[in-house]
Structures are given as C-alpha cells and as structure tokens.
Amino acid sequence: MSSTDQRPTRLAAPASATVLELLDRAGASLLHATQAADTGERYVAAHLGALRAAAAVLAARTTPGGSSRPRSVWQVLPGLAPELTEWAVFFAGSARQRALVERGDRTLPAREADDLLRQAEVFLDLVHDLLGAPRRLALPAYLASPGVHHRLTG
C-alpha cells in the first residue's frame, strides 16, 4: 500500500449516524495508537482503527436483514468495495499478527507497529473519501465533552 494508491469512487448517499460513529471510533483508535508507548498496544489499536473503518464501509454498503454465516470484515469488504480488496488482504494478514500479539505469543519491533499505524491512517483517509464523510478530529478524553468521551469509549 502506498499513499499514491488511487482514491476510491465516492458513494452518493450521505453517511448515516452509524457510519459516522464507526469512523469516529476508528479515528479514536488511531489517536490511541499514536499515544501508546507499548508497541503491541500500538499495533492492536492501529489494527482496531482499520477494522472500524472497514466496518463503516460495510455499514454504508449493506442493508439490514438476511442471515448469513459470520465472516471476517476483511472477507466481506472486497465484495462490497472491490476497490479496497488490496487493503482487505493487507489487514487480514495483520489480523493474524494482532491475534498473536494479543495472546502474548509475538513481540513486535516498533517499526512494524509504526508501519501498521501509518497504513491504517491512509486507509481511514481513503474510507472517508469513499464514503464522502467529513473528517472530524478525535479529541483526547481530557478535551472531549463527557458525552463524546463516553460515546468513543463505550
């Protein structure tokens, strides 16, 4: 992935409250990742930010109803947003690493966590463009109003 990747085609419909909430949570996860001193925590938070951004795309492009077997967001994303297939493959691989880190089976070098954080930031920007959603700054808890802080952490 590079920041020179083609920008995906934007959706015509305005983003729903659910989509905006997921994007806000993605931004908050990435903010948390930038502040994490522990490389494992930084990696997990960066991956969670990307996962929430992908969930926003799924929320924007699917309709409620219909039952299907549970699948990973990274498996579903290419079917709903083919322009994000390469990103889905990339983050599916990082999901396996995340699981190892969370179990304590893998220690990551700082560079690997920082690289994932940068890719997650680029991915979130692409998702914002794709969905036509406004970019809102995720404020640290001490600056956000109590309602916003609860929404981002709850």
Side-chain angles (χ1 to χ4, degrees):
M1 306 303 115
S2 72
S3 58
T4 60
D5 288 344
Q6 254 186 313
R7 294 281 176 188
T9 306
R10 184 178 164 184
L11 290 177
S16 71
T18 300
V19 169
L20 294 175
E21 174 79 17
L22 286 164
L23 292 173
D24 283 349
R25 286 178 172 248
S29 294
L30 296 182
L31 178 62
H32 175 75
T34 65
Q35 298 170 346
D38 178 74
T39 57
E41 183 181 352
R42 188 163 54 250
Y43 192 91
V44 168
H47 187 268
L48 181 58
L51 186 62
R52 288 174 167 162
V57 175
L58 271 55
R61 292 202 171 177
T62 58
T63 55
S67 61
S68 64
R69 63 181 176 85
R71 294 189 300 168
S72 159
V73 167
W74 306 120
Q75 292 173 318
V76 176
L77 188 63
L80 296 174
E83 63 274 42
L84 298 177
T85 297
E86 194 174 334
W87 287 98
V89 171
F90 173 77
F91 285 116
S94 70
R96 290 185 285 281
Q97 293 288 3
R98 174 187 169 186
L100 292 172
V101 169
E102 287 179 314
R103 282 196 314 259
D105 293 343
R106 174 113 200 276
T107 303
L108 297 171
R111 177 160 184 171
E112 198 167 332
D114 293 342
D115 288 347
L116 183 67
L117 175 55
R118 278 189 293 278
Q119 294 300 337
E121 290 170 335
V122 170
F123 181 66
L124 180 57
D125 281 344
L126 289 171
V127 168
H128 272 279
D129 289 346
L130 175 72
L131 300 177
R135 285 172 176 75
R136 297 191 290 205
L137 178 63
L139 298 175
Y142 67 89
L143 292 177
S145 69
V148 172
H149 178 11
H150 175 69
R151 220 179 70 223
L152 293 176
T153 59

